[in-house]
Amino acid sequence: MVMQDILGSKGAGLAEMSNLNLPIPNGFTITTELCNYFYQNNYNLPKDFNKELSVAIKNLELESGKVFGDTSKPLLLSVRSGARTSMPGMMDTILNLGMNDEVCEALLHTTNNKLFAFDSYRRFLEMYGTIVILIPPGLFKDAFERHKIKHNIYQENEINEEFLKEIIKEFKNIILNNSAEPFTDPYLQLEKAIKAVLKSWMSERAITYRKLHNIPDNPGTAINVQTMVFGNQGSDSATGVVFTRNPSTGENKIFGEYLINAQGEDVVSGTRTPNHITSDDNKCTYSMQNTMPELFEQLQEICKKLELHYLDVQDIEFTIESGKLYLLQTRIAKRTALASIKIATDMVEEKLISKQQAIMRIDPETLNQLLHTAIDYSQLKTPIAKGLPASPGAATGIVVFSPYDAEKMSHHHKVILVRHDTSPDDINGMHISSGILTKRGGMTSHAAVVARGMGKPCVCGANDLIIDEKRQIFKVGDVTVKHGDLITIDGSTGKIFLGEVPLIPPTFTKEFQTILDWADEIATLKVRSNAETTLDAITSLQFGATGIGLCRTEHMFFDQYKIPLVREMIIAPNLEHRKHAIEKLLPLQIKDFKALFKIMHDKPINIRLLDPPLHEFLPTTEIDKQNLATSMSLPLNIVEQRLHTLYEVNPMLGHRGCRLGITYPEIYQMQVLAILTAIRELQVEDNKNTILELMIPLISDVNELKAIKKYIKNTITEIEAIHKCKFDLTLGTMIELPKAALQADKIASEVDYFSFGTNDLTQTTYGISRDDVASFFPDYLEKKIFTFDPFNKLDEEGVGELINIAIKRGLYTNPKLKLGICGEHAGNPISIEFFHKAGIHYISCSPYRIPIARIAAAQAKI
Ligand code: ADP
Ligand code: MG
Ligand code: MG
């Protein structure tokens, strides 16, 4: 959107609200071009900038009837940042600008309100001191706390004139001690404030935030200069944040928090715990609905109007000055995955948006939040404390008290970051933590907003916690929790538990089901699952898999009963020995396949014959070797000799995949026998049909395929003769080596389908082993040699090109060829878009990624 590029999202929102005739403070926006100029010209402003600025200020003075820097009717300003993409709390804003001793005095006279004038002055000194002069915020905060103790002030509403006078004096001293520059001239203040806000664009936390959210560094921030409206003028003034619908649950009811006699930062910074806007069954005596019913009605009307205008949920900042409501900001509300689904489906029902729009509103990645853990309250433990349910989901981890420790400990542990309140500087620590717990702050505090955006469990405002950062402990009642102790937090209820708590997989809401159904109506790319156990298969079906796209038979071998038999089969020094081991394995395989087929009965199942390097199954400990020798009645040295022969330097490129089928046909034959017997038995016993797809892995040359196909066909014919029946199945191959992709035309004429194994295809295209990338990959990313991890997001230029070539050549010789994807990339929404465009018929991903893939598949189509 061009307007936001130039005005920033805040400026664009203000302009839009002004067009809608909504009450906003007078002001103007300086475009993002200034920011670019500033950084290209060594932190200087253009020559005629000051001239233009004073013209704009003159206009504000005319509109307001007040004069900037005047000592009879002073105009105070707010200088606000405003990037194209809203970055909550990451950039700086300076309020009450234009203040000095004389102006404060004048303010006192014009309003006849000492507390207000002094309060505005001390706020100005603190903000100007920290943001413009760059004095550590702790100096102001500590002084403030010291004086509170001295004056016996426990709550900010007990603050009195004497206290404020002393604070102003002290704050001025802090500034004078830290900077020799004058700070009392309003116009100089304005220029410096503008520069400081421009500089905050490149602050460390802003850069980190942009990196985490993939926001480009260009265009920079715009600047909004506005007349101040004062929420700190007494009990008929207030400031607050309101969402047009509940951003946690999606419920269609305005939701928000506000503070009487305060300025905006107070609500979002979490230094005071705010009251609710709505009365929620009259439980909140101090709600805005109860205390300011008329303004509440007005606010509710405005919420409706803005939502109808933007056709999406808005996050609105407002201030009430002596009974008059002003809007300060509106933006598209960040919301939890749960809320995003509820809101999208509700809005379709309300005929505000189309199904397509609803689906596009869902960020598939965030669905993870719904697909994972919640606390099992049937096995209830008593919580040690309760805070606000700020961002849903449960997390267990060890307690750390600083972002630094979070980073340090996160290498080996899951961590829960415990803070008084979080500041934007904590962003990196929050990102690394599994959950966030704060003592102060409400549902709209910085911690809550950022956690929701990250999809992290977060509990805020846990007032009962007594945190002692120095001693690295927190106390609650008579419980003491130390750094490194395990706790569990539940961001859906706000409860905090000691230690680990049983967790349960999530349940689908009816709205989630609805949106997934819509996605399926729209998508042409089908979603299957990678599954080999009955549990995986059941989960896949619950999540809406249309079949199994990859059943890795080797995974069925990894259990304590089968591993010894598999080892016998591999170690067997001769064919006879091997057949003996295989005979023992056969009934177990039949049983496993039967169980799987029964669950999937009318859905396709793609079974891959044994693929991994034999190496992976071999015993490594002396005990295992000895046991193997005993059970095979072989001398240990013979076993060791065999192990030696089987040892491979580079197993991933070694004796694996179809190469096993070439050297040991009896293994694949046994697998085919097991599969077909299972199918036949199910037919006879249950009258159930199985839609079988049989797949040969790691083909590079068509001759490999031909050789294996030949004996498999013979095996099938033999089994058909025994059972006097015909098996209906399709035969396919993995395309996961570059040579196979390039020779796809030859290969396609031998098979019914291709399944692209994008993991191996990425490894072999790059010549990088997935298991060893950690040794150099971080350097690659750091030095921007690679900009993404090709094992997570498909490399479209290289690997993707091979896929496109293989599809084209494959379809040329076999127009009926079916095309599938199996590999991690099948769960990545960006890669899913590529697969859709490439003409792939289905993708296969892990069961928990299925809903994400279904939404992404629909989005690819839209
Ligand atoms: P952010 O981008 O971090 O949300 P804002 O520019 O919105 O920063 O300002 C921070 C706070 O300052 C807001 O919550 C708002 O309530 C308050 N504020 C901004 N401008 C004004 C103004 N003109 N009058 C009164 N309060 C203001
Ligand atoms: Mg704001
Ligand atoms: Mg593979």
Side-chain angles (χ1 to χ4, degrees):
M1 209 196 261
V2 183
M3 185 148 98
Q4 296 201 357
D5 276 358
I6 298 169
L7 299 181
S9 71
K10 203 176 289 162
L14 286 165
E16 204 83 2
M17 287 197 286
S18 162
N19 287 341
L20 293 171
N21 285 326
L22 296 176
I24 58 167
N26 294 326
F28 55 88
T29 301
I30 304 171
T31 67
T32 51
E33 283 163 82
L34 183 73
C35 190
N36 292 334
Y37 183 96
F38 182 70
Y39 282 103
Q40 280 158 19
N41 291 276
N42 202 18
Y43 308 105
N44 285 309
L45 299 174
K47 249 202 259 80
D48 46 0
F49 177 76
N50 275 332
K51 218 190 296 159
E52 282 181 44
L53 186 63
S54 27
V55 172
I57 297 287
K58 276 274 144 3
N59 276 335
L60 279 191
E61 292 175 342
L62 285 177
E63 283 165 349
S64 66
K66 298 177 188 167
V67 178
F68 188 54
D70 189 42
T71 50
S72 58
K73 274 187 175 176
L75 172 68
L76 294 189
L77 299 176
S78 109
V79 177
R80 317 173 64 187
S81 57
R84 169 176 56 178
T85 314
S86 158
M87 304 170 30
M90 293 300 130
M91 306 268 306
D92 290 327
T93 284
I94 298 160
L95 303 180
N96 309 310
L97 196 103
M99 245 327 167
N100 55 36
D101 287 351
E102 295 76 39
V103 169
C104 180
E105 190 68 22
L107 207 59
L108 194 160
H109 286 302
T110 49
T111 59
N112 202 13
N113 186 338
K114 281 188 190 154
L115 281 181
F116 157 66
F118 292 151
D119 185 59
S120 304
Y121 198 7
R122 66 100 184 166
R123 287 173 185 273
F124 166 73
L125 290 169
E126 178 172 347
M127 284 186 125
Y128 193 81
T130 50
I131 296 168
V132 177
I133 312 181
L134 301 177
I135 297 169
L139 288 185
F140 293 100
K141 293 221 156 35
D142 289 350
F144 199 73
E145 291 304 316
R146 252 195 342 268
H147 282 273
K148 263 165 77 177
I149 294 169
K150 187 175 149 200
H151 286 258
N152 276 328
I153 287 170
Y154 297 100
Q155 282 177 333
E156 295 206 4
N157 59 15
E158 295 164 353
I159 283 177
N160 55 37
E161 196 187 317
E162 278 316 301
F163 171 85
L164 286 171
K165 273 188 180 157
E166 270 183 39
I167 278 293
I168 288 170
K169 209 162 138 202
E170 171 110 22
F171 280 9
K172 279 198 291 196
N173 278 335
I174 294 177
I175 293 181
L176 290 171
N177 289 340
N178 280 278
S179 149
E181 288 186 42
F183 68 93
T184 54
D185 173 7
Y187 269 96
L188 204 63
Q189 286 174 5
L190 182 56
E191 188 188 325
K192 293 208 165 184
I194 288 172
K195 283 187 174 170
V197 171
L198 291 175
K199 277 189 191 149
S200 72
W201 178 250
M202 281 296 170
S203 68
E204 206 173 311
R205 66 186 193 217
I207 292 173
T208 306
Y209 187 94
R210 287 199 292 275
K211 217 190 269 162
L212 292 177
H213 290 82
N214 281 325
I215 300 171
D217 283 339
N218 257 327
T221 181
I223 289 187
N224 301 288
V225 180
Q226 280 183 320
T227 23
M228 276 301 294
V229 289
F230 297 101
N232 57 336
Q233 264 189 22
S235 59
D236 59 351
S237 299
T239 182
V241 176
V242 65
F243 292 83
T244 57
R245 300 185 191 212
N246 189 306
S248 290
T249 64
E251 191 193 359
N252 186 2
K253 186 175 165 199
I254 68 167
F255 174 86
E257 291 168 331
Y258 83 121
L259 276 169
I260 287 186
N261 197 16
Q263 278 196 352
E265 285 296 291
D266 297 358
V267 177
V268 289
S269 71
T271 45
R272 268 165 77 186
T273 303
N275 287 311
H276 279 213
I277 301 254
T278 49
S279 8
D280 303 324
D281 312 324
N282 274 331
K283 264 183 273 171
C284 311
T285 327
Y286 300 110
S287 70
M288 182 172 169
Q289 190 168 11
N290 282 344
T291 49
M292 303 175 157
E294 276 148 36
L295 288 165
F296 172 83
E297 287 298 322
Q298 192 194 349
L299 185 65
Q300 205 167 21
E301 282 309 305
I302 288 173
C303 283
K304 254 196 214 127
K305 199 165 174 182
L306 279 174
E307 196 181 273
L308 215 57
H309 177 74
Y310 284 104
L311 296 174
D312 202 350
V313 178
Q314 297 296 300
D315 165 354
I316 298 161
E317 291 174 7
F318 65 91
T319 285
I320 296 163
E321 177 183 295
S322 305
K324 180 162 168 31
L325 176 68
Y326 293 92
L327 302 178
L328 292 173
Q329 187 170 352
T330 188
R331 61 185 159 209
I332 306 286
K334 294 213 189 303
R335 63 205 78 177
T336 62
L338 185 73
S340 78
I341 288 168
K342 169 102 173 93
I343 291 166
T345 48
D346 280 356
M347 286 192 151
V348 172
E349 237 156 69
E350 293 159 29
K351 302 209 161 32
L352 296 176
I353 59 174
S354 66
K355 286 181 187 178
Q356 277 82 354
Q357 282 171 315
I359 286 168
M360 292 313 283
R361 294 255 171 108
I362 312 290
D363 176 357
E365 278 303 339
T366 63
L367 297 180
N368 251 332
Q369 290 173 35
L370 301 179
L371 301 171
H372 290 289
T373 40
I375 283 180
D376 183 1
Y377 281 103
S378 67
Q379 307 182 39
L380 197 60
K381 267 179 75 168
T382 338
I384 51 167
K386 197 162 178 282
L388 301 169
S391 178
T396 301
I398 60 165
V399 168
V400 295
F401 291 96
S402 71
Y404 173 79
D405 280 345
E407 274 196 78
K408 209 171 67 185
M409 304 301 284
S410 67
H411 297 302
H412 300 290
H413 301 274
K414 291 199 151 130
V415 303
I416 307 281
L417 181 61
V418 181
R419 303 288 272 161
H420 274 112
D421 46 55
T422 68
S423 87
D425 288 324
D426 297 348
I427 174 121
N428 231 341
M430 293 175 75
H431 180 65
I432 278 158
S433 304
S434 302
I436 295 136
L437 169 61
T438 73
K439 175 182 167 70
R440 286 194 294 252
M443 299 288 287
T444 48
S445 66
H446 173 260
V449 173
V450 173
R452 279 199 292 274
M454 290 177 173
K456 293 238 151 143
C458 174
V459 174
C460 275
N463 279 317
D464 294 343
L465 263 56
I466 300 168
I467 302 177
D468 185 338
E469 284 182 18
K470 263 214 197 90
R471 290 169 59 205
Q472 302 255 303
I473 56 167
F474 75 76
K475 285 191 182 170
V476 41
D478 46 16
V479 182
T480 302
V481 180
K482 298 189 300 293
H483 167 98
D485 287 354
L486 213 52
I487 62 165
T488 300
I489 61 166
D490 183 0
S492 315
T493 61
K495 291 181 183 159
I496 304 154
F497 300 89
L498 215 50
E500 227 164 329
V501 170
L503 302 174
I504 35 163
T507 39
F508 264 8
T509 59
K510 108 177 165 292
E511 288 86 6
F512 199 174
Q513 197 54 56
T514 304
I515 204 129
L516 284 169
D517 289 344
W518 292 345
D520 292 347
E521 282 167 25
I522 293 164
T524 43
L525 186 62
K526 298 277 177 261
V527 180
R528 297 197 196 178
S529 75
N530 300 344
E532 34 281 320
T533 65
T534 49
L535 180 67
D536 283 348
I538 292 168
T539 315
S540 315
L541 290 181
Q542 278 168 351
F543 283 147
T546 58
I548 291 179
L550 180 65
C551 168
R552 295 153 290 199
T553 48
E554 61 272 15
H555 284 214
M556 301 166 115
F557 291 156
F558 285 124
D559 81 38
Q560 58 188 48
Y561 303 107
K562 275 170 252 162
I563 272 277
L565 297 176
V566 174
R567 285 183 179 152
E568 279 188 37
M569 172 176 89
I570 295 168
I571 296 289
N574 54 44
L575 183 62
E576 202 187 331
H577 233 111
R578 184 166 311 110
K579 283 199 163 154
H580 182 65
I582 284 174
E583 264 165 35
K584 286 194 275 182
L585 208 47
L586 183 66
L588 299 177
Q589 279 255 279
I590 294 175
K591 196 165 146 247
D592 284 350
F593 282 126
K594 245 172 109 174
L596 193 65
F597 295 164
K598 206 166 177 168
I599 293 167
M600 299 300 297
H601 74 104
D602 59 347
K603 304 220 158 48
I605 304 171
N606 181 16
I607 298 182
R608 181 176 73 187
L609 297 173
L610 198 66
D611 175 51
L614 295 182
H615 191 95
E616 277 186 17
F617 290 96
L618 299 180
T620 49
T621 65
E622 291 312 311
I623 295 180
D624 280 354
K625 286 180 196 168
Q626 186 57 59
N627 283 346
L628 187 61
T630 313
S631 76
M632 291 179 79
S633 319
L634 283 175
L636 183 61
N637 70 325
I638 298 281
V639 168
E640 279 175 338
Q641 256 175 38
R642 273 295 286 162
L643 286 176
H644 192 70
T645 341
L646 287 166
Y647 173 80
E648 288 183 283
V649 175
N650 203 338
M652 288 316 278
L653 297 177
H655 195 179
R656 59 170 289 211
C658 69
R659 297 160 199 172
L660 298 172
I662 301 285
T663 50
Y664 305 125
E666 54 280 8
I667 296 181
Y668 278 8
Q669 280 166 337
M670 179 275 285
Q671 291 197 296
V672 173
L673 179 58
I675 293 164
L676 295 185
T677 310
I679 292 177
R680 183 63 193 158
E681 286 184 10
L682 268 185
Q683 264 171 1
V684 174
E685 291 163 21
D686 270 1
N687 206 9
K688 277 201 167 150
N689 256 328
T690 305
I691 305 176
L692 174 68
E693 301 166 349
L694 198 62
M695 180 161 77
I696 299 161
L698 211 79
I699 292 288
S700 60
D701 192 286
V702 69
N703 284 337
E704 293 172 305
L705 184 62
K706 281 184 183 160
I708 292 170
K709 198 173 143 182
K710 192 166 161 206
Y711 74 70
I712 284 183
K713 287 250 149 141
N714 286 339
T715 308
I716 295 172
T717 315
E718 281 166 26
I719 304 168
E720 285 177 337
I722 295 169
H723 292 291
K724 302 199 176 54
C725 69
K726 274 247 163 274
F727 290 104
D728 198 9
L729 63 97
T730 53
L731 198 71
T733 182
M734 303 271 302
I735 301 290
E736 51 190 338
L737 296 175
K739 178 171 162 69
L742 297 172
Q743 298 206 323
D745 46 348
K746 285 191 190 145
I747 294 173
S749 51
E750 296 291 330
V751 291
D752 304 303
Y753 66 94
F754 282 174
S755 175
F756 292 94
T758 55
N759 296 346
D760 270 316
L761 192 56
T762 301
Q763 297 199 91
T764 50
T765 301
Y766 277 82
I768 289 176
S769 153
R770 185 162 50 140
D771 301 316
D772 297 328
V773 295
S775 54
F776 59 91
F777 209 69
D779 253 8
Y780 267 58
L781 291 176
E782 176 78 10
K783 292 183 177 143
K784 297 213 159 92
I785 307 281
F786 288 176
T787 51
F788 64 94
D789 173 0
F791 291 104
N792 173 29
K793 181 177 141 244
L794 189 87
D795 160 52
E796 295 181 15
E797 288 179 348
V799 182
E801 183 64 8
L802 280 171
I803 292 175
N804 280 329
I805 290 171
I807 292 175
K808 196 164 152 227
R809 295 186 185 170
L811 287 174
Y812 183 73
T813 52
N814 182 356
K816 283 197 197 140
L817 191 70
K818 267 198 100 177
L819 303 164
I821 297 279
C822 59
E824 295 303 308
H825 306 95
N828 179 310
I830 300 173
S831 305
I832 289 172
E833 192 175 346
F834 173 86
F835 297 139
H836 170 84
K837 288 203 188 109
I840 295 286
H841 300 113
Y842 73 85
I843 51 180
S844 187
C845 57
S846 75
Y848 279 93
R849 300 291 298 183
I850 290 171
I852 297 171
R854 285 163 74 190
I855 298 285
Q859 291 181 340
K861 177 74 190 243
I862 299 167

